Each structure stands twice: as C-alpha cells, then as structure tokens.
Amino acid sequence: MKRKTLPKLVIFLLLLVSLLDGCSNDSSKITIVGSSALQPLAEQAGNDYRLAHSGSNIVVQGGGSGTGLSQVQAGAVQIGSSDVFADTQKGINANQLHDYKVAVVGIVPIVNKDVGVKNLSTKQLRAIFTGKITNWSQVGGKKENIIVINRSRGSGTRATFEDLILQGQDAMKSQEQDSNGTVKKIVNSTPGTISYISFPYAEDSNIQKLSIDHIQPVNKNIPDNKWHLWSYEHMYTKGKPNKATAAFLRYMLSKKVQKNLIPQIGYLSVNEMKVMRDSHNKITEIGK
Amino acid sequence: MSEKETDLQEVVNQALAEQKVPHVKLKKIGPNSVDIEKLTKPSKETHQEYWGRGLTLLAIFLIGLLVVSIIGFVGEHGLATFFSDHVNLFSFLFSSDWNPGAGNKHVGAAAMIVTSFAVTLIAALIAAPFAIAVALFMTEYSSAKSANFLQSVTELLVGIPSVVYGFLGLSVVVPAIRMIFGGTGFGILAATLILFVMVLPTITSLTVDAFKAVPDELRKSSAALGATRWQTIYHVVLRAATPRILTAIIFGMARAFGEALAVQMVIGNAVLMPYNLVSPAATLTSQLTSQMGNTVMGTLPNNALWSLALLLLLMSLVFNFLVRLVGKKR
C-alpha cells in the first residue's frame, strides 16, 4: 500500500502546486479587497462582469478599509476599496494611488423605536455622542437613559460620522460594534439605544431612522448635499491600473452599473451628484 | 521422507511469496545463487526507508518553519509598538486608556487584559463543577449506552460554530440579563454564560478521560475495604484524577481566552475597565477582530493591535506550560 500511495501523493502535490502557480500567473486576475460597505456592490458587479467576459477572473474580499488601502499600497492586490479618502490615513502615501469614486452611500442615525424621537439637530446628535446629553427626555423623548452604540474605531462609517457630526470633538467611550447587521439587531432589541448605519441596511421597519435638522434621510436629498451625512465609496489602484483592471473599472463606472445595479443595492451613483467633497470635507458644486 | 521434504519446501516458498518477501526463496539459497552486488548495495526497502524519513523530516521542517515565522511575524509587529513607536511597556500593561489613533500615550491594554482574564476565569469556574458532575455520571454511574449517548451530545456542542453561539447570546442571553439585572445586558456576565457552554464539552470530555485513567483496582480495593460508591468516588477517584482534571480545566480556559467572535457579539466592545459584571467591556480578542481590518499596516494603531496578539500568543504559551507542569505532578 505504501508503495502505491507515495506516487499518488506526489502527483497530488504537483497538481496543487501547478494549480496555485496557474492562479498567480494569470494576468487577467483582479483581486478587490477592503471596505465591507462596498463588498456587496463589488461582488455583484464582479459576478456580472465575469459572466459577460469569459476569461476574466475577479475575486472580492472584505477586510476593512484599512486593509484595502494597505494591501493595494503594498501591491498585493489590484484594487483596494475604502470608504475613506486615502490621504486621511496615516501610513498611506496617497500620491501613489489612483482614486476611482464608484458610488456614494448615505449614513443615517437610528434609534430604538421606544425612545419617541424622530428628529434631532446636528447639535443634539453631537451632544449625545460626546456624552453631554444622557437622557432622551432632554431631546423631547421618553424619560429613559441614552445608550450610545458607536461603530468600531477606524471604521469608514464612523470616520465619516465623526467628521461631519462631531466636528473634531472626541466621542464618549461607549459600546462599539463592527457590522451594520449587528448594530441594527442591537438597536432593535435594546431600549434607549442610538447608533448609525448606512442607507442600504436601514430599510427596516423594526428600527427608527432619524431626520437631522428636519431633513429626511432619503437618497434624493444627497445629491445637493441637503442630507450631508454621506461618503464616497472609493476603489484605489496603485499607479496606473493594468489593462484588465482598467477595463473592470470602466465597467464599474459605466451606465450599466451606475444606472441599474447601484440604485438597486441602495447606493447612489456618482453621476447624480451635484456637489463634490474633497478629503477635507470641503464641498464644491460640480460645474461651477 | 524426501517427498515430505519437498512438500515442506513448497509450503515455505508459497508462504514467503504470499508475504511478498523477495530474494529469499529457499531454493535459491546457496553460494551460487546469491548476487553479491545486490547484497552490498542498499536494498529497495532501504530506499523506501530513506524516502519515508525524508518526507516526515520535510513535514516537520515545514511545520517548524511555520511556527517560527508566526512567532517572528507577531513578535516583529508587536514589539514595534515598544521599539519604534516608543510606547511605555508599563503603561501598555497597566493603563486602561486605549486610543492608539491619538498617539503613543494612549496605548493601554489593562482594561482588555482584566476583562479577558475575568471572562476566562469565571467561565472555567462555572463550567468545571458541571463538567466534573457530568463526567462522573458518565464513567461511574451510567450504563455504557447512556454514557455513549451523553458523549455524542457533548461532542455535538463542539461542532457548533462560534458565530451561532454569539447569535444565540445576542438574541437570548443579553435580553434575559437586561430583564433580570438591568443595564444593557452586554458585558462580562453574558460573555461568561456563552463561554460556559463553549468550554463545557472540552472540559467534560477531558475529565471523562481523567476518570477512565484511574485504575479499576483502586475502585475495587476501596469497595473491598467497605467504602460506599460515593466514598470511593470522593476519596479515591477524584483524588487520583485531580492532576488530569486540572489539565482539562486549563485546556478549557485556553479555549475561552482565545475565543473571539462569540464574545465580541455579546460583550459590548467598550474599552472600559469593567466595574461590574453587566457593564460593557472588551477582551483582547474582541478588540483584535473588530479593529484589525480598519487599521493601516505599519502604523501605531496597527502595531498596537499586534501587541495584543503577541500578548495572546504569550498567554497561550503560559497555558501550555501550565498543562505540562500540572501533568508532570501525576
């Protein structure tokens, strides 16, 4: 028996090695790593693209915006996705990277249904998340303690929220949760909670979305920056992308994806935006 | 007589042929039939021996390389926090101000270290008596059939992925704690209860082995002296099995210490020094899993997380060392 298994083992190992080798030598392979907010869109687009272009090979992985940026900078992947600007991240040399903004996604504060609040001002939100307001009765709700659930430190959604709402103040120390889904589940089941999630996850009658300064959290309020709590979804390449990667990025920015797929998933097309935001949160109107 | 002799020779040859032993057919024995060349060179079997040894050595070498490179990698990044980012080791271990993004004065892991140990110790403390009771029932009281059944039930618990335990904790344990004790329900107590269920099968099956390893003669001698079954269990079986039971508990603790996902879902992930069992806290592992993806390789926040990983690695070495130490006392 020994004599028979040995050659089999050797053949198996050789096959394995050749398989791995084949993968790494494939120049048409595109790996997309990073932002978990962009993951569903990248996966769907990748699938469609693969079906339409035989011979293309697209692998999509999550891992977080930080992973995406450092992997693409290291040249380990072709595309690193991120929901924050590369030049806001320490340790990333943004000059080396090409930025493709593929979509826009809104962020909305959510509360447990029992708190009896449907609208907060930016000022009140800031006071809640910095720990200055601790009871819902202070903002016109029930007499109930406020439980803040923040997003994980360094997450793109949190970075956007803190930049735009807290404006430089430090958030209070509070519970932290990583994923949109878990946050939603906790807010739904824990009385007095407040947190924030991205629009595509907020379509749920079990939680209460909040308006900010009486502006409704809907996609149509984003293009002219009426709803100012939104962020870009970036795809970064190191230097100029190779041919296969460039083709895929063209596909991501094509009408097909921007007009159909992106609204379908709950994001907003970059083409609809009437304003532009730079990495210092400066808003400029497009075309002026 | 001679006919019988040839018969015998044939039988022997046949047997040798069946055993596939080459070159030793009886007829060929004799100075003329032996190939001197072959005898002085290594045989086919020797070559097989070389091959086998080579393959196993290669495997050992690869595994050794893996272990060394993991320790090297974690060590390199984990120590960079202290050597290139100049974080004070003392403040890393004893301060609970954790905000690495704000600079190297804010890298204190004390809150996480305390929480990790609290969660692990309490879970082991609750799980151990249960595990010992179940194991005693399985080895000393029940029939072989029901012991088998219990065995498969405990093994079933091992196969459930930790995200399922976390989800159960989030939907059942956390609301229950909130109703009974108030607060948000997230905290050390919730994590402990989840970990209790997760380490129970580990400790139970190892404790069963511990009781099975106690020689039957001890039980019989004890019975011969007139001891009741409980007296035998209490004074003989438990005493004899103690080192192995301790090993079982340490193995359980090692598992609890390293569990990340289920704990992350129910502990609240607030890097605060826990002041009671139902205040939100964070363990080393829960911080690692929720933060790693959001940091950029080589920066202080990333290095600080690797330091937590290094701490976990050192702790697992300590657990291993403890297991060996306790095992030696047997």
Side-chain angles (χ1 to χ4, degrees):
Chain A
M1 212 176 91
K2 261 186 192 165
R3 240 180 285 166
K4 272 187 184 166
T5 46
L6 194 65
K8 270 187 202 162
L9 194 76
V10 171
I11 289 169
F12 174 74
L13 283 175
L14 283 176
L15 272 176
L16 201 74
V17 168
S18 64
L19 207 71
L20 291 174
D21 198 41
C23 282
S24 60
N25 281 342
D26 193 350
S27 63
S28 70
K29 186 182 174 182
I30 305 168
T31 310
I32 307 172
V33 165
S35 160
S36 47
L38 188 58
Q39 203 180 348
L41 172 63
E43 268 169 11
Q44 192 58 48
N47 272 338
D48 295 349
Y49 188 77
R50 216 169 11 228
L51 288 177
H53 303 76
S54 59
S56 65
N57 184 1
I58 295 170
V59 179
V60 180
Q61 279 172 26
S65 300
T67 308
L69 288 172
S70 37
Q71 292 290 309
V72 75
Q73 173 162 280
V77 298
Q78 285 73 37
I79 297 177
S81 54
S82 163
D83 25 6
V84 291
F85 279 95
D87 57 350
T88 61
Q89 296 291 300
K90 273 185 207 159
I92 295 293
N93 185 358
N95 297 332
Q96 289 184 350
L97 303 177
H98 268 242
D99 181 6
Y100 297 83
K101 301 185 185 82
V102 294
V104 168
V105 65
I107 298 163
V108 57
I110 53 168
V111 292
N112 186 276
K113 279 194 144 179
D114 77 331
V115 304
V117 173
K118 286 184 177 162
N119 176 68
L120 286 174
S121 68
T122 309
K123 226 174 149 186
Q124 286 171 327
L125 262 180
R126 190 182 312 146
I128 288 174
F129 275 87
T130 49
K132 289 185 189 88
I133 294 180
T134 55
N135 200 295
W136 284 112
S137 60
Q138 289 168 274
V139 289
K142 243 171 62 175
K143 207 169 178 194
E144 187 174 34
N145 281 333
I146 296 177
I147 295 165
V148 171
I149 296 176
N150 219 330
R151 302 299 291 278
S152 290
R153 203 170 277 124
S155 95
T157 313
R158 174 163 173 175
T160 309
F161 184 84
E162 294 195 336
D163 274 351
L164 297 172
I165 300 290
L166 302 191
Q167 293 167 348
Q169 292 191 41
D170 277 337
M172 62 183 280
K173 284 206 171 176
S174 64
Q175 291 199 40
E176 288 175 14
Q177 283 300 337
D178 199 25
S179 78
N180 280 298
T182 316
V183 167
K184 199 164 80 177
K185 178 149 178 53
I186 291 172
V187 169
N188 172 26
S189 63
T190 316
T193 42
I194 182 169
S195 188
Y196 46 92
I197 55 181
S198 53
F199 273 19
Y201 290 91
E203 298 308 318
D204 191 328
S205 57
N206 293 319
I207 47 168
Q208 174 67 51
K209 288 190 271 187
L210 292 184
S211 307
I212 302 179
D213 301 323
H214 297 287
I215 291 164
Q216 295 290 320
V218 285
N219 267 342
K220 71 170 201 280
N221 281 337
I222 293 179
D224 50 5
N225 204 36
K226 243 196 243 157
W227 181 267
H228 60 280
L229 204 47
W230 55 270
S231 69
Y232 287 113
E233 295 293 346
H234 308 261
M235 282 186 167
Y236 281 101
T237 60
K238 191 181 186 183
K240 264 182 83 176
N242 65 28
K243 225 173 134 193
T245 311
F248 176 72
L249 285 167
R250 266 201 304 280
Y251 174 77
M252 283 299 298
L253 295 168
S254 72
K255 268 192 182 153
K256 200 177 165 206
V257 172
Q258 295 289 332
K259 270 232 146 118
N260 303 326
L261 186 61
I262 285 184
Q264 218 177 68
I265 297 182
Y267 296 59
L268 209 69
S269 162
V270 277
N271 300 335
E272 281 180 48
M273 294 302 290
K274 297 194 184 101
V275 298
M276 221 164 73
R277 186 158 66 203
D278 67 7
S279 58
H280 307 295
N281 297 317
K282 223 183 112 197
I283 297 282
T284 43
E285 276 182 55
I286 290 174
K288 281 196 177 174
Chain B
M1 189 78 176
S2 70
E3 211 174 74
K4 256 190 182 173
E5 232 168 36
T6 45
D7 269 3
L8 190 65
Q9 199 171 1
E10 240 166 47
V11 168
V12 170
N13 276 339
Q14 210 175 344
L16 286 173
E18 268 169 16
Q19 283 181 5
K20 292 193 178 151
V21 182
H23 308 304
V24 263
K25 282 188 182 163
L26 276 187
K27 270 184 197 163
K28 286 197 173 172
I29 286 179
N32 294 334
S33 58
V34 172
D35 189 347
I36 301 292
E37 277 286 280
K38 255 188 187 167
L39 274 183
T40 52
K41 277 188 175 169
S43 69
K44 210 173 167 190
E45 286 72 17
T46 317
H47 277 296
Q48 284 178 354
E49 189 86 17
Y50 288 154
W51 250 102
R53 198 183 298 175
L55 272 181
T56 38
L57 279 179
L58 186 72
I60 288 171
F61 174 73
L62 282 179
I63 288 173
L65 196 72
L66 202 65
V67 170
V68 169
S69 45
I70 287 174
I71 293 177
F73 189 83
V74 175
E76 187 199 333
H77 286 266
L79 291 175
T81 314
F82 307 109
F83 290 115
S84 43
D85 295 320
H86 306 292
V87 170
N88 187 335
L89 178 66
F90 190 77
S91 73
F92 174 75
L93 290 176
F94 299 105
S95 145
S96 58
D97 175 12
W98 179 260
N99 189 8
N104 64 1
K105 295 268 187 301
H106 305 275
V107 186
M112 286 170 270
I113 297 172
V114 168
T115 311
S116 272
F117 275 102
V119 164
T120 305
L121 285 174
I122 300 173
L125 274 181
I126 315 177
F130 274 92
I132 292 172
V134 172
L136 272 182
F137 178 79
M138 280 163 72
T139 52
E140 308 294 323
Y141 289 103
S142 79
S143 66
K145 219 178 194 177
S146 50
N148 259 337
F149 176 72
L150 274 175
Q151 179 102 28
S152 41
V153 169
T154 45
E155 273 161 13
L156 196 75
L157 287 179
V158 181
I160 298 175
S162 59
V163 64
V164 175
Y165 283 112
F167 201 69
L168 273 176
L170 200 56
S171 356
V172 182
V173 179
V174 170
I177 291 176
R178 183 170 56 237
M179 295 226 305
I180 301 167
F181 299 101
T184 59
F186 292 92
I188 290 181
L189 185 61
T192 305
L193 291 177
I194 294 297
L195 283 176
F196 158 68
V197 186
M198 293 182 79
V199 301
L200 192 62
T202 312
I203 305 186
T204 306
S205 52
L206 285 170
T207 310
V208 167
D209 292 343
F211 289 142
K212 278 186 182 157
V214 174
D216 240 4
E217 287 77 31
L218 289 182
R219 293 189 183 85
K220 282 177 185 158
S221 325
S222 171
L225 287 170
T228 63
R229 183 176 263 189
W230 175 246
Q231 283 171 329
T232 305
I233 289 172
Y234 189 73
H235 291 288
V236 179
V237 179
L238 271 177
R239 299 293 138 98
T242 301
R244 273 167 167 260
I245 294 175
L246 285 179
T247 314
I249 294 173
I250 296 169
F251 265 116
M253 281 168 65
R255 181 165 188 214
F257 201 78
E259 172 53 41
L261 197 55
V263 171
Q264 192 201 324
M265 288 170 86
V266 298
I267 202 158
N269 297 314
V271 190
L272 298 167
M273 192 57 91
Y275 50 91
N276 62 38
L277 291 184
V278 289
S279 67
T283 61
L284 293 166
T285 47
S286 75
Q287 270 302 298
L288 260 177
T289 48
S290 65
Q291 299 281 302
M292 203 44 124
N294 294 322
T295 56
V296 176
M297 204 72 167
T299 57
L300 172 61
N302 189 267
N303 285 342
L305 289 177
W306 283 108
S307 302
L308 299 187
L310 184 64
L311 207 60
L312 281 166
L313 191 71
L314 291 178
M315 274 314 298
S316 82
L317 283 179
V318 169
F319 279 124
N320 267 318
F321 177 71
L322 278 180
V323 166
R324 300 208 156 224
L325 201 74
V326 171
K328 259 189 194 163
K329 279 193 180 158
R330 215 175 291 158

